[in-house]
Amino acid sequence: MKEGSSMPITPVLQFGTSRFLQAHADLFLSEALPGERPVTVVQTSGDPARTGRLQALARGYEVRIEGISNGRKISETRRSDAVARGLSIDADLAEVTRIVAEEARVVLSNTGDAGFRPRPEDRESRFNAAMSYPAKLGHLLRPRFEAGGAPPQIMPTELIQNNGTTLRGLVLDAVSQSDRTYRDWLADEVVWVNSLVDRIVSEPLEPAGAVAEPYALWAIEAQPRLALPCTHPCIQIVSDLGPIERRKLFILNLGHTWIVSDWLARGREGARFVRDVMADADWSARLSRLFADEVLPAFVAAGEADGVADYIEVTKERFANPFLDHKLQDIAQNHGEKLERRIGAFLDWARANGDTGAKPQLSAALERSDA
């Protein structure tokens, strides 16, 4: 506690109130650090409808875990008490700036792709709540630099490849008119962490909390000076995120796109949700053969087979989740683009790594129209 203050020091400053973070990083911190409340959450959207969520987060909230794990149906409720306080970037800018300058050791974010997208306001010399997240961060870190504070660790969880490196570049671009010493501090002293997150968080609970599947992963790329915010079974340190990214894209995402391609070819008949496909014995058997005969050999050829068979089994359990209404119609959005990014790219990657085996189901899916 700071002398004369009733508020705890919070080493984790989180930008974003998303239900994903509530059921992912915040829940991990609560489970790993019982009795501690290390997180200050900052609302960045300015949406007044989310003000009540800030207060509810600080009171603690529930996460309902529903799905299948190791063949067993799970439906349980966990409580998260990691959040000490919630602030708004609009109303509490001075306090947010103070926490960045004096308290935060880790800056966590999940602002979505839109949060990273540059905006005209980014070039303004003074802080503007309408700025992109990278531009806001560039302004908020300046007082810490000027005070001689230790460089913080920046840990974005946005689903962007090399998200830490990408955020670093966007922040440096946003502060390109600043003095060289500050830009060098940002570039060379601040720790920018690449990571990959994976958990389906299907719906919110009100006023705070969420419903999530049992599976959860926070894969963090190793680097000098990396400091984990906590130790948790769902957090993995890896030397290279590439193999994990490929598993997610070429197994989980590819599987979804193959299912939708088959569904479209059937005239959108026979299933509404992903779990309906898994409940159809013939359809699910064809998916299993696809993974075993067409997908797994490519990972073997690439030297990335370790753990892939287990990941495939976990993926099929995730698809079969009886609690999750994962609509095929939703997955079908931008289907043509997904075919190229998931199936077309996989076939190219497989060939490039020496897997020349037949891929009849994937080739057929790629050739089918999304009409």
Side-chain angles (χ1 to χ4, degrees), residues 178-190:
S178 297
D179 55 278
R180 180 65 178 270
T181 54
Y182 178 49
R183 288 185 283 118
D184 286 348
W185 182 80
L186 288 171
D188 302 330
E189 300 300 325
V190 172

Side-chain angles (χ1 to χ4, degrees), residues 31-54:
E31 292 175 336
L33 304 170
E36 299 184 33
R37 306 184 75 188
V39 181
T40 290
V41 173
V42 180
Q43 176 192 349
T44 59
S45 67
D47 182 358
R50 296 194 176 187
T51 303
R53 185 185 301 178
L54 285 173

Side-chain angles (χ1 to χ4, degrees), residues 223-254:
Q223 63 164 294
R225 298 186 291 141
L226 174 69
L228 292 181
C230 67
T231 300
H232 190 277
C234 294
I235 298 177
Q236 298 179 18
I237 301 177
V238 299
S239 60
D240 179 9
L241 286 172
I244 293 177
E245 290 171 342
R246 284 186 283 276
R247 286 186 197 181
K248 183 179 180 184
L249 181 62
F250 293 152
I251 297 175
L252 180 78
N253 297 146
L254 176 147

Side-chain angles (χ1 to χ4, degrees), residues 116-118 134 156 158-173 192-194:
F116 270 32
R117 195 171 299 131
E158 286 81 358
L159 291 175
I160 296 170
Q161 190 173 35
N162 296 320
N163 47 18
T165 302
T166 299
L167 180 56
R168 173 183 179 271
L170 291 169
V171 171
L172 288 172
D173 182 64
W192 304 88
V193 180
N194 293 322

